[in-house]
Structures are given as C-alpha cells and as structure tokens.
Amino acid sequence: MKVPFVDLKAQYESMRDEIEVAIRQVLDSTAFAGGPFVTQFEREFALFCQCDYSIGVGSGTDALWLSLLALGIGQGDEVITVPNTFIATAEAISFCGARPVFVDIDEQTYNMNPALLENAITPRTKAIIPVHLFGQTADMDPIMEIAKAHGLYVIEDACQAHGAEYKGRPAGSIGDAGCFSFYPGKNLGAYGEAGAIVTNNPDLNEKIRILRDHGQPKKYYHTLIGWNARMDGLQGAILSVKLKHLAHWNEARRKNAQLYNELLANVDGVFIPREADYAKHVYHIYAIRVQNRDALINTLAEKGISCGIHYPVPVHLQEAYHFLELGKVSFPIAEKCAEELVSLPMFPELTKEQIHHVVHEIKKLRSSEICVG
Ligand SMILES: Cc1ncc(COP(=O)(O)O)c(C=O)c1O
C-alpha cells in the first residue's frame, strides 16, 4: 500500500466543483492582482483568527519580513527566535538588516523555551518571534510577559499553525502580529504562493498594507519605499473556499494523530508528539523521534511510505548563517531533535488503513535499530 507524505490531489478532488466556480469568478472579473477576492478573504481570515485586521501578501516569508519592517526593525537590531524552524523565519530578520539571535527549544513541544529568553535579551533586542512548530503554539503567556517587561514586540510565526489554539485563543492573535503561510501543503494551502498577517493594531495594519503595495496608499502616490508583496486574486478566491473546510480538516488531522499516538504508544524507541496542556495542536506535521532515523525512513520508503524531516539542519548550523559563528552544541536540544525527528504521513484524507500500515511497518523494524536516546 502506498502512503504519500501529503496528498493534495485527494483534497482537490473532494472540492473540485467549488474551486472551479471560484476560479471562474476571478477569470470573469479579471481581478488578478489584489482586488475584491483578496479583500473578501482578508475579512474572513481576520474573523477566523479573531483579529481586527488581516493583510494578504505573497508568502509567509513576506508576512514575517513586512511585519518586522513595519515595526521599524532594521540595521543594528536583534530579534530572538528558535533555530529549529524553516529558514524563512531567520531570513526575514536578516532581510530587514537585523541579526537573528537564537534560544533553544523545549524537548517536549519542540517550541521556544521561555525560560531561556531573559539571557538572550540585550540592549539591541527589539522583538521575539516564537514559531508555532508543527501546528502547536509556543507557550505564549511567559513569552508575552517577558516581552512586556523589556518593551519588545512579539511576532508569531504561525506559518504552520492555522486554527491552532493557545488556552482557547487562535494562533496568531496573541502577539503584535501573527504571520501565516498558505504554501500549498499547509493546513490552509493556496494553489500557488500566498501568506497573510493578522493584527489588532490599526497603525500596523495600515503600514503593512502600504508596504506590500510599493509604499502607495493611493495609486502612484508613494509615501514609503515598499515592495510588491500583494496576494493574487486567484489565491484569495481559492483560500476563501478552502477556509470553510479548515476546521473540519484540522479535526481530521487531530483524529489521525490520536490514532498514530494510540498505535505507537508502546513501541520501544519511538517518542510520540506531546500536546501541551495549554494547546490545541493541529498537526501540520506529525513528527516522532527515533534514533537511527535514516534506517527508519529508508525502510518505510521501500514499502512505499513517504516521510519527511523537519528540519535536518538547524538554522544556526546552515552554511548561510556561518557568519554568526555559532557552532555545534550551541543549542543542544534543537540539535538533538534535528537528528532524531521523522515526520510521518499526515493529511486530513489519510485513512485508518494507511495509518495502521505505517505503524505496522515501523513495528516490524527491530526496536534496537530505532531506540530513542
Ligand atoms: C515556520 C515557517 N515559517 C515561515 C515559512 C515561510 O512561508 P512561505 O513558504 O509561504 O514563504 C514557513 C513555510 O514553509 C514555515 O513553515
């Protein structure tokens, strides 16, 4: 039995008619760049995140970068984040001219360890970017408290956490801004590139809107030097259709995770994901930890089961960030997790049979081969 890592085709097949109507509406109206379909989606997504404003942009990377720019972060500033994230989190900091400063993660949730924040703060620190990795939020209360005490901004990297909750509050709605990616494989994925920022701050909303559109509040009148980071109309219309299904898809992911958890609970050498008391996890990624990860991935691949690694090299050890001069053992938990994490197939349409098959093949491996350290 083949088990893909994600199956975008299955999702499209389940909603083909709705999508085709939405696409035709955009084609008929020729509202291709920005326009009413983007505005409509912005309204709906703000509501979904329980925020006053949502701004559609070209990608999650744009969302992070424009949020930092709009908050005035630049040359000489430092922004604290985690090393076990997709590189875009750090790139956005670097592209403002600021320096990424990393803190290690919590070994249970793989998210920022707030107890390590105080030590990382310097007079140059301007902001903190917690990353809600794999679909589970970071522990936001202590992060917000420390930020408040030091006068720092908090930008949530919620690119993997559409619909996740922290103590009942939607991911992205807690900090000064929440940034989302709608890369096709995300829980809410576009049919191309797209992203959004949510915020309750009217000034920030205004500034990001201007920055994403060449710095123009009015066509051809440029008050700022901005960029072209607009969301396109087709993505806006498609995302509006898909947003209606998101809660249901997230529930399906949670059920799939629960079944994996039950079946893997007593398998020697397999460390299953932990849902924190404060969290509603939406399992963008279902990652287990094992030793000898390569053997597991290769054996499953031979059986037609595709896995992923998120992420094999933490950001501070990437060649692009050698200039930070942070060698190995700088962030031991993030580094250990980078060696042990394996992402198993996870998508809403995954069947019980497929999950049983994946677990059956994992169990067949000798436990000695995949012991957790
Ligand atoms: C944690 C995280 N941050 C940022 C991004 C960047 O989003 P995008 O690919 O839409 O630019 C992603 C997407 O992969 C992500 O997972």
Side-chain angles (χ1 to χ4, degrees), residues 3-303:
V3 190
F5 182 61
V6 291
D7 189 349
L8 299 183
K9 189 110 194 287
Q11 193 176 76
Y12 172 57
E13 294 296 352
S14 74
M15 54 190 308
R16 181 192 281 266
D17 293 347
E18 281 177 278
I19 293 285
E20 286 180 1
V21 169
I23 289 177
R24 210 167 311 121
Q25 280 175 345
V26 180
L27 298 183
D28 287 343
S29 71
T30 69
F32 296 126
F37 296 98
V38 172
T39 307
Q40 168 81 11
F41 172 69
E42 286 175 340
R43 265 198 297 271
E44 293 163 356
F45 195 62
L47 213 62
F48 178 81
C49 293
Q50 295 173 26
C51 282
D52 292 342
Y53 309 101
S54 149
I55 308 119
V57 292
S59 67
T61 311
D62 280 348
L64 288 161
W65 177 58
L66 293 178
S67 300
L68 288 161
L69 277 183
L71 289 167
I73 290 156
Q75 204 76 39
D77 295 335
E78 291 178 356
V79 178
I80 302 175
T81 190
V82 286
N84 64 323
T85 179
F86 182 56
I87 197 160
T89 320
E91 281 175 327
I93 298 168
S94 299
F95 254 59
C96 293
R99 187 180 179 88
V101 171
F102 301 106
V103 293
D104 212 347
I105 53 165
D106 173 74
E107 196 165 354
Q108 302 291 318
T109 63
Y110 313 130
N111 280 326
M112 178 177 276
N113 182 347
L116 302 173
L117 269 176
E118 291 274 4
N119 263 349
I121 294 172
T122 74
R124 291 170 182 265
T125 310
K126 290 289 179 328
I128 303 172
I129 307 186
V131 179
H132 303 325
L133 201 74
F134 299 162
Q136 171 158 248
T137 63
D139 191 1
M140 290 304 292
D141 278 351
I143 294 171
M144 294 303 293
E145 248 168 61
I146 293 165
K148 195 168 171 209
H150 292 269
L152 307 176
Y153 296 116
V154 175
I155 298 169
E156 295 173 67
D157 183 337
C159 286
Q160 301 188 2
H162 321 68
E165 290 177 10
Y166 177 75
K167 299 185 180 173
R169 300 168 68 187
S173 70
I174 299 161
D176 295 279
C179 298
F180 290 86
S181 162
F182 303 120
Y183 186 75
K186 296 291 198 259
N187 289 27
L188 179 61
Y191 288 175
E193 303 280 353
I197 299 113
V198 294
T199 183
N200 290 314
N201 178 334
D203 297 335
L204 193 59
N205 168 55
E206 204 52 42
K207 193 151 182 203
I208 295 173
R209 276 180 191 285
I210 294 172
L211 283 173
R212 75 158 173 191
D213 190 19
H214 295 294
Q216 53 182 358
K218 187 172 148 196
K219 201 164 175 70
Y220 301 135
Y221 290 82
H222 306 269
T223 55
L224 296 170
I225 298 172
W227 201 252
N228 176 0
R230 296 181 295 248
M231 181 187 278
D232 79 61
L234 282 169
Q235 303 314 331
I238 289 164
L239 287 166
S240 279
V241 170
K242 293 186 76 179
L243 182 59
K244 295 188 186 83
H245 298 270
L246 179 58
H248 158 74
W249 287 332
N250 280 345
E251 278 317 308
R253 285 175 183 271
R254 285 176 58 76
K255 279 205 182 108
N256 293 342
Q258 200 182 335
L259 182 56
Y260 267 132
N261 282 347
E262 282 164 20
L263 299 175
L264 288 168
N266 299 314
V267 179
D268 262 0
V270 173
F271 189 90
I272 59 175
R274 302 285 152 90
E275 183 162 353
D277 292 343
Y278 60 66
K280 180 175 174 191
H281 199 320
V282 291
Y283 295 97
H284 171 55
I285 298 283
Y286 181 91
I288 59 171
R289 265 171 50 215
V290 295
Q291 279 198 340
N292 202 352
R293 166 185 59 202
D294 291 349
L296 179 77
I297 292 177
N298 293 338
T299 311
L300 293 182
E302 281 164 19
K303 307 286 178 190

